[in-house]
Every structure is written in C-alpha cells, then in structure tokens.
Amino acid sequence: VFMAADKGMAMIEDGKNYGDFLLKTIESAKEQFTADELKLLKAEAEKIREIENELTKLEEKFPELAKKTPSESTTSIPAEGNIGTKKFPSFVGKDLEGNDVTSDELFSRNAVTVVNFWFTTCGPCVGEIAELDALNKELANKGGALIGVNSFTLDGDETAIAEAKDVLSKAGATYRNVYFASDGEAGRLTTSVYAYPTTYVVDRNGNIVGQPIVGAITSKKQLASLWELINEVIEKDAGM
C-alpha cells in the first residue's frame, strides 16, 4: 500500500487529465491495496477526473483562465520517456548528521541519483528501507547513489530528524538522507508529492528522468520500472 498525502497534488507536465493519470497509477500498483482501499482510491480519482473535465470546459469557454498552465510550474512531473526535460529543483541543505549538502554536489558526482520521498509514520515507506539500502549498494557499483528525503524533517525539525534517524538505524540503512527549506522549490516539490513513497530518478545534470515511481519498490513491478529508468540514465551517461 502507498500512502496518499494530504499536502497537495503533483501536476502533470503533458497536460493530460490528472484523474486519468491517478487511475493509471493506482491500476499499476493495485496489488498493494486491499479491495476496499482500491475501491476508495478509484472513486476519488474519478472525482478528480470529473473536476478536470469541468475545468477544461471552462478554459475552452474562457481562454483567459488557461493563460498559465500547469506545464509552467517548476515542480511539474515530466512527460514519460523524456530525458532532461525538467530539472530537479536546486537546494542547499544538510544531511541528518548535520553535514552541509547541495543538489549540485549530490547530482554531479553520480551517473544517476535516485531520490526517495518518505515520511516516518508511513508503513510502506519504512517497509521498503531495506530494499532501498540494497539498491544504494548496487548503485554504488554503477557510479550512482540513492538519497532519502523525509518530508517531516524539512526546515531541520530536530524531533523529526531524531525520529527519522532512529527508524533508519533500526532498519540498518546506510544511505544518505537530506533535508532543506520547505519554502524553496525543492521543499515545494516535496510537499506536492501526492503519495508516499515516491521515487525520482535524476541524471548527473540534475534532470528528472521519466515519471516518478509511485509506491514501494517491494513490488517487483515498481522495482523493475525503477531499474529501467536507472539503466537508461547510466547508459546515456556512459555515452552508450
């Protein structure tokens, strides 16, 4: 099961109906839900699709409403299959040990960086930590790395940091977790994540690659989709 966020919705880069996108995402991860959860999620996504359809009609009737589209947002999700079409928002922050970190430093030194968004009380997020740690070790052999972003730790919340470190330690995780200001672009991207866990793939130049992986990688399908993006970036980085 992946956890829906109550902090807002991520937008779609290519302008398609967001409800259709949600329904597709839910369907791709349906084995992670109980029958009741699946029914509820689909019903809510269908409501969103209806709202989007009504908004489209309004924009057609009143073109001035469509002057600023979601595609202008810096936190939009890039269209599937496009490499380098959207930058991961730059940030200056710290890791959970208090060391300074910047997005430029993180991304430029790796052929590929996997960014996992999670929060401490999210069961599926905590449940995939062991798999994420194993993935990080595999990535290290390929010139890549995995980092975590715990949404509770934004702005350096000391209690949240201590709790996140405790959860990671108990799971035996060794990969780096970072935080940054909530009011910056990276912070707004974090709070726009509509379901947890969600994982992005980023290339050496800081470009987001493909669609984010929504749901835990304990699902073989989710893990396979993630590796497809990872390998695509590694091959491109090597000039293959």
Side-chain angles (χ1 to χ4, degrees):
V1 178
F2 66 79
M3 303 287 289
D6 60 2
K7 299 178 182 178
M9 292 288 184
M11 302 305 293
I12 292 192
E13 167 71 13
D14 58 8
K16 294 179 181 178
N17 187 299
Y18 188 64
D20 287 334
F21 173 77
L22 282 178
L23 286 166
K24 180 181 177 182
T25 301
I26 293 165
E27 180 65 24
S28 70
K30 64 182 180 181
E31 69 275 7
Q32 300 185 49
F33 304 105
T34 65
D36 287 343
E37 288 170 338
L38 190 61
K39 182 178 179 180
L40 176 61
L41 285 169
K42 285 186 174 181
E44 294 303 312
E46 285 168 357
K47 289 179 183 178
I48 292 171
R49 181 169 59 183
E50 291 175 8
I51 292 170
E52 289 275 329
N53 286 335
E54 291 301 315
L55 286 173
T56 299
K57 292 177 182 178
L58 284 172
E59 288 175 354
E60 290 173 351
K61 187 174 181 180
F62 305 102
E64 64 273 13
L65 294 177
K67 286 181 180 179
K68 182 172 177 62
T69 66
S71 62
E72 295 171 2
S73 170
T74 58
T75 58
S76 296
I77 296 172
E80 188 172 357
N82 291 339
I83 291 183
T85 57
K86 274 293 178 184
K87 288 279 189 180
F88 192 97
S90 61
F91 62 83
V92 175
K94 293 181 181 293
D95 64 22
L96 299 190
E97 303 303 323
N99 301 304
D100 292 336
V101 60
T102 69
S103 52
D104 288 343
E105 172 256 335
L106 278 174
F107 299 141
S108 64
R109 70 183 183 184
N110 298 315
V112 61
T113 303
V114 175
V115 184
N116 176 258
F117 290 97
W118 69 292
F119 62 90
T120 315
T121 54
C122 163
C125 301
V126 175
E128 71 170 351
I129 288 176
E131 282 80 359
L132 292 173
D133 199 59
L135 174 61
N136 182 53
K137 290 172 182 174
E138 288 188 67
L139 288 173
N141 294 327
K142 298 175 180 290
L146 181 142
I147 63 170
V149 178
N150 183 305
S151 63
F152 288 176
T153 65
L154 296 186
D155 299 317
D157 185 292
E158 293 183 4
T159 299
I161 290 171
E163 291 172 347
K165 289 173 68 174
D166 183 58
V167 169
L168 291 163
S169 176
K170 288 178 179 177
T174 58
Y175 59 89
R176 201 174 192 185
N177 272 254
V178 304
Y179 65 87
F180 31 74
S182 61
D183 60 357
E185 288 186 9
R188 287 192 289 272
L189 173 60
T190 304
T191 55
S192 76
V193 172
Y194 67 88
Y196 286 80
T198 284
T199 304
Y200 281 80
V201 175
V202 182
D203 70 14
R204 190 184 298 275
N205 297 315
N207 297 313
I208 295 172
V209 179
Q211 296 281 11
I213 304 301
V214 179
I217 64 168
T218 47
S219 160
K220 291 182 179 179
K221 185 174 181 179
Q222 303 297 82
L223 182 59
S225 296
L226 180 58
W227 267 112
E228 185 177 346
L229 289 175
I230 290 169
N231 288 329
E232 183 180 356
V233 176
I234 290 174
E235 288 175 6
K236 186 174 185 292
D237 188 76
M240 297 172 65

